[in-house]
PDB file of all heavy atoms in Angstrom:
ATOM      1  N   VAL A 157      17.363  23.001   5.669  1.00  0.00           N
ATOM      2  CA  VAL A 157      17.942  22.241   4.565  1.00  0.00           C
ATOM      3  C   VAL A 157      17.228  22.668   3.287  1.00  0.00           C
ATOM      4  O   VAL A 157      16.034  22.429   3.124  1.00  0.00           O
ATOM      5  CB  VAL A 157      17.805  20.720   4.771  1.00  0.00           C
ATOM      6  CG1 VAL A 157      18.467  19.971   3.629  1.00  0.00           C
ATOM      7  CG2 VAL A 157      18.400  20.307   6.111  1.00  0.00           C
ATOM      8  N   ASP A 158      17.966  23.322   2.401  1.00  0.00           N
ATOM      9  CA  ASP A 158      17.413  23.820   1.145  1.00  0.00           C
ATOM     10  C   ASP A 158      17.669  22.792   0.046  1.00  0.00           C
ATOM     11  O   ASP A 158      18.803  22.433  -0.237  1.00  0.00           O
ATOM     12  CB  ASP A 158      18.056  25.154   0.786  1.00  0.00           C
ATOM     13  CG  ASP A 158      17.383  25.824  -0.391  1.00  0.00           C
ATOM     14  OD1 ASP A 158      17.140  25.131  -1.409  1.00  0.00           O
ATOM     15  OD2 ASP A 158      17.103  27.023  -0.313  1.00  0.00           O
ATOM     16  N   ASP A 159      16.591  22.367  -0.573  1.00  0.00           N
ATOM     17  CA  ASP A 159      16.635  21.322  -1.599  1.00  0.00           C
ATOM     18  C   ASP A 159      16.836  21.914  -2.993  1.00  0.00           C
ATOM     19  O   ASP A 159      16.064  21.668  -3.903  1.00  0.00           O
ATOM     20  CB  ASP A 159      15.333  20.517  -1.531  1.00  0.00           C
ATOM     21  CG  ASP A 159      15.320  19.310  -2.447  1.00  0.00           C
ATOM     22  OD1 ASP A 159      16.401  18.804  -2.780  1.00  0.00           O
ATOM     23  OD2 ASP A 159      14.224  18.868  -2.829  1.00  0.00           O
ATOM     24  N   GLY A 160      17.875  22.762  -3.149  1.00  0.00           N
ATOM     25  CA  GLY A 160      18.228  23.286  -4.465  1.00  0.00           C
ATOM     26  C   GLY A 160      17.328  24.394  -4.968  1.00  0.00           C
ATOM     27  O   GLY A 160      17.053  24.464  -6.170  1.00  0.00           O
ATOM     28  N   SER A 161      16.884  25.283  -4.087  1.00  0.00           N
ATOM     29  CA  SER A 161      15.996  26.379  -4.493  1.00  0.00           C
ATOM     30  C   SER A 161      16.603  27.214  -5.616  1.00  0.00           C
ATOM     31  O   SER A 161      17.814  27.407  -5.686  1.00  0.00           O
ATOM     32  CB  SER A 161      15.715  27.309  -3.304  1.00  0.00           C
ATOM     33  OG  SER A 161      14.909  26.668  -2.357  1.00  0.00           O
ATOM     34  N   THR A 162      15.728  27.719  -6.467  1.00  0.00           N
ATOM     35  CA  THR A 162      16.153  28.587  -7.569  1.00  0.00           C
ATOM     36  C   THR A 162      15.672  30.020  -7.373  1.00  0.00           C
ATOM     37  O   THR A 162      15.895  30.858  -8.229  1.00  0.00           O
ATOM     38  CB  THR A 162      15.630  28.048  -8.915  1.00  0.00           C
ATOM     39  OG1 THR A 162      14.201  27.950  -8.849  1.00  0.00           O
ATOM     40  CG2 THR A 162      16.225  26.693  -9.221  1.00  0.00           C
ATOM     41  N   ASP A 163      15.013  30.293  -6.240  1.00  0.00           N
ATOM     42  CA  ASP A 163      14.573  31.657  -5.946  1.00  0.00           C
ATOM     43  C   ASP A 163      15.590  32.304  -4.988  1.00  0.00           C
ATOM     44  O   ASP A 163      16.758  31.944  -4.995  1.00  0.00           O
ATOM     45  CB  ASP A 163      13.145  31.662  -5.373  1.00  0.00           C
ATOM     46  CG  ASP A 163      13.045  31.002  -4.006  1.00  0.00           C
ATOM     47  OD1 ASP A 163      14.040  30.407  -3.540  1.00  0.00           O
ATOM     48  OD2 ASP A 163      11.962  31.079  -3.403  1.00  0.00           O
ATOM     49  N   ASP A 164      15.149  33.221  -4.167  1.00  0.00           N
ATOM     50  CA  ASP A 164      16.056  33.943  -3.274  1.00  0.00           C
ATOM     51  C   ASP A 164      16.133  33.346  -1.864  1.00  0.00           C
ATOM     52  O   ASP A 164      16.563  34.015  -0.932  1.00  0.00           O
ATOM     53  CB  ASP A 164      15.651  35.412  -3.189  1.00  0.00           C
ATOM     54  CG  ASP A 164      14.245  35.605  -2.654  1.00  0.00           C
ATOM     55  OD1 ASP A 164      13.498  34.605  -2.545  1.00  0.00           O
ATOM     56  OD2 ASP A 164      13.883  36.753  -2.350  1.00  0.00           O
ATOM     57  N   THR A 165      15.762  32.095  -1.715  1.00  0.00           N
ATOM     58  CA  THR A 165      15.773  31.459  -0.404  1.00  0.00           C
ATOM     59  C   THR A 165      17.163  31.503   0.230  1.00  0.00           C
ATOM     60  O   THR A 165      17.306  31.859   1.402  1.00  0.00           O
ATOM     61  CB  THR A 165      15.285  30.000  -0.491  1.00  0.00           C
ATOM     62  OG1 THR A 165      13.952  29.992  -0.999  1.00  0.00           O
ATOM     63  CG2 THR A 165      15.311  29.316   0.857  1.00  0.00           C
TER      64      THR A 165
END
Side-chain angles (χ1 to χ4, degrees):
V157 182
D158 189 313
D159 186 25
S161 290
T162 57
D163 66 353
D164 60 349
T165 300

